[in-house]
Amino acid sequence: MTDQTKLPVTLSQQDKDPAIILFGNDDSGKPHASSFDIDRRHDAIKAAGLMGFQALAVEGDVLTALATKIPIGKVFNSGKGFVPFVKREIGQQLDQYAEDHPDQLIALPAPVAAADGESNVDALDELPKDWDDIKVGSRVLAQDDPDDGWWEAIVQHVHASGTQGHPCAMFTLMWEAFPEDGRFVRRFDQVALLHHGFSAAETDLPDSVGAA
């Protein structure tokens, strides 16, 4: 049996308490939901955005108790998550809780498409010295497939994501060498920095050399 066909484990099998609940309805209107612990929160946030689901930060006794009735999810290599069916009653409770507690809904950034006639952002000459220094136009390193290594990408948009309790900076990027591939999103811990001692002209060095 492959990992993708395994049934979700129960809460008693989870090492850490749920930190995020993903939920939503499929095309037929059937409710889905799954929980993720704190170590998987960033992957869960990204999966929710790809799947068109919502995400709640698990805070307070009511949502903590509801999380115990929800199966634990999994994020696949595609970026999408395993969010199984749940009872309609649970789906309704999640919808109502989200409506009553909008402050616990997590913002889900999606790739920002260029507006008609808008050009892509060119790279700045100055490289960011740390992650807080990343801004629109910054050149960073990102991965599409881990087997392909790291490639230079240009920041097109900086997202403020998450809730106060679960902040998560994310960036819309564009491959510098392959702009025709379009824009994509990575969170802050999925990008690497080029050593600021290199000039822009020297950033075509092998990826094992340039990463900070």
Side-chain angles (χ1 to χ4, degrees):
M1 181 182 290
T2 65
D3 287 342
Q4 293 191 9
T5 59
K6 288 181 180 178
L7 294 175
V9 295
T10 63
L11 186 63
S12 61
Q13 295 172 281
Q14 182 170 275
D15 293 333
K16 298 183 180 180
D17 293 333
I20 285 180
I21 294 174
L22 266 58
F23 68 101
N25 296 330
D26 59 25
D27 293 340
S28 63
K30 294 180 179 178
H32 295 248
S34 59
S35 66
F36 296 82
D37 64 28
I38 195 72
D39 293 335
R40 298 174 178 84
R41 66 189 184 280
H42 295 314
D43 290 333
I45 289 170
K46 182 180 177 182
L50 289 173
M51 300 172 71
F53 282 1
Q54 298 187 83
L56 277 166
V58 179
E59 299 172 2
D61 294 341
V62 173
L63 197 58
T64 299
L66 186 56
T68 65
K69 304 176 183 178
I70 296 172
I72 295 169
K74 176 181 176 65
V75 176
F76 302 125
N77 291 335
S78 65
K80 293 187 176 182
F82 173 67
V83 184
F85 293 116
V86 292
K87 294 180 179 179
R88 189 166 298 277
E89 177 187 359
I90 291 178
Q92 291 171 344
Q93 289 176 341
L94 288 169
D95 288 338
Q96 187 62 54
Y97 190 93
E99 183 177 339
D100 294 340
H101 301 83
D103 56 309
Q104 285 180 238
L105 275 170
I106 297 174
L108 303 173
V112 177
D116 291 341
E118 179 186 357
S119 343
N120 288 320
V121 177
D122 293 328
L124 300 173
D125 290 333
E126 182 181 357
L127 296 171
K129 295 180 175 61
D130 56 44
W131 279 264
D132 290 335
D133 196 34
I134 296 175
K135 55 192 173 186
V136 172
S138 291
R139 179 187 277 107
V140 297
L141 295 172
Q143 289 182 312
D144 187 25
D145 184 332
D147 292 335
D148 291 338
W150 295 83
W151 294 80
E152 289 89 349
I154 311 304
V155 177
Q156 305 293 304
H157 188 77
V158 178
H159 302 273
S161 179
T163 67
Q164 184 176 359
H166 302 280
C168 177
M170 300 184 83
F171 311 103
T172 290
L173 305 172
M174 180 189 69
W175 299 117
E176 185 169 20
F178 309 102
E180 66 277 4
D181 285 355
R183 300 180 175 199
F184 58 97
V185 165
R186 293 291 184 271
R187 62 180 188 258
F188 76 96
D189 60 346
Q190 291 178 316
V191 301
L193 304 181
L194 288 149
H195 194 286
H196 60 267
F198 292 119
S199 67
E202 295 173 317
T203 56
D204 57 350
L205 294 171
D207 33 65
S208 61
V209 175

